[in-house]
Amino acid sequence: MARLARSGFLAPNSLETLTIFGVSVVSSARYETAHSGDVSALERAISAIAILKSSGTAGQVEATAPPFYTPESSVSVDGSPRSEDLNKNFKNQEHQDTPKKRVNSENGLEGPTDDGYNWRKYGQKDILGAKYPRSYYRCTYRRLQNCWATKQVQRSDDDPTTFEITSKGMHTCNHSANAVPQPASPEKQELRHNPQNHQPQQENQMLLNFQANNIMT
DNA sequence: CCAATTTGACCATA
DNA sequence: TATGGTCAAATTGG
């Protein structure tokens, strides 16, 4: 099961779990949000995932992936080519020889899990068939701001420098710690104005329903 | 001191 | 009943 996400499989139970080419879409969108200040990046990612989910199985996800996610850019949302570059700029000031930009550690500074939010670890489990344990985090401001975002971090079996991050629940806290190091690039703003990239409100509503169903446990 | 992490127990679900 | 997810007491560390 550890392989699920890596092959672009859309896991059935976790709304925001979608990893293509080894990179979590949501985590990638978070990088984008953290750096561009474009808060809608995450929402667009989640909407896209909800749409993919409602439209089918793993195979179909792979099939429909190219318009949304291209191999060249590792992962992008709504055709944005930026995620990979963002990751690179974000983490590798002195470590640019990484062959592929995934969610990568190695740099002693911030782990791969620094996505601009403050997380508090609340558990760790050994997963059947997985080489490394899975860690569970929730937003530090769960009580203070009633923020119910959580995430799981799983080190990849065969590439120990790569982590698969599965997010669940949206941040309702307004604590974007490393707020906006750089203003949004023109290209990104273009993206937002592109009608083809804009998700209809209907689908956002659908997303909310998904969330309501999935978060309640 | 206080807050975050660790870690085994506990719980829900398939 | 095995597995994955969460709780919470004990521990760490700032």
Side-chain angles (χ1 to χ4, degrees):
Chain A
M1 284 309 118
R3 294 266 154 269
L4 270 188
R6 308 207 72 219
S7 56
F9 203 107
L10 185 57
N13 286 336
S14 41
L15 168 67
E16 299 184 20
T17 299
L18 178 58
T19 306
I20 295 182
F21 306 114
V23 181
S24 162
V25 171
V26 170
S27 120
S28 199
R30 287 215 165 99
Y31 282 119
E32 186 168 337
T33 296
H35 284 265
S36 67
D38 181 6
V39 196
S40 69
L42 187 54
E43 295 175 10
R44 290 200 314 270
I46 293 171
S47 294
I49 291 167
I51 292 164
L52 289 176
K53 174 174 179 174
S54 71
S55 73
T57 65
Q60 287 170 324
V61 168
E62 282 281 45
T64 58
F68 292 90
Y69 317 96
T70 64
E72 298 79 30
S73 61
S74 241
V75 158
S76 59
V77 177
D78 292 342
S80 164
R82 283 293 160 214
S83 293
E84 184 175 6
D85 292 343
L86 282 168
N87 288 348
K88 189 203 309 181
N89 295 337
F90 189 47
K91 350 197 85 286
N92 296 329
Q93 308 287 6
E94 69 246 29
H95 204 86
Q96 294 158 358
D97 54 324
T98 335
K100 290 183 182 177
K101 297 298 176 290
R102 294 181 176 175
V103 188
N104 208 330
S105 185
E106 296 284 327
N107 43 10
L109 295 169
E110 318 269 327
T113 60
D114 184 6
D115 48 15
Y117 290 105
N118 292 94
W119 300 99
R120 171 164 170 152
K121 187 173 183 175
Y122 66 89
Q124 174 170 307
K125 270 298 254 193
D126 286 316
I127 300 304
L128 192 74
K131 202 165 161 182
Y132 304 97
R134 176 178 301 168
S135 296
Y136 301 86
Y137 298 85
R138 65 167 57 108
C139 181
T140 303
Y141 310 104
R142 185 196 192 105
R143 276 199 286 160
L144 293 172
Q145 301 194 27
N146 202 39
C147 181
W148 291 84
T150 64
K151 73 173 178 179
Q152 304 177 0
V153 176
Q154 172 89 56
R155 186 187 289 255
S156 169
D157 281 355
D158 37 43
D159 184 2
T161 67
T162 297
F163 293 79
E164 297 172 6
I165 300 176
T166 301
S167 301
K168 181 177 179 181
M170 289 234 289
H171 278 276
T172 58
C173 64
N174 55 355
H175 191 95
S176 50
N178 324 329
V180 194
Q182 289 196 346
S185 71
E187 303 121 54
K188 280 191 207 88
Q189 298 188 345
E190 249 178 55
L191 257 179
R192 251 188 296 186
H193 296 144
N194 186 341
Q196 207 155 19
N197 291 326
H198 187 264
Q199 302 296 348
Q201 192 124 22
Q202 246 184 352
E203 285 155 4
N204 284 330
Q205 189 56 48
M206 173 184 70
L207 163 65
L208 291 179
N209 295 336
F210 266 124
Q211 280 196 307
N213 292 337
N214 283 324
I215 288 176
M216 297 282 98
T217 43

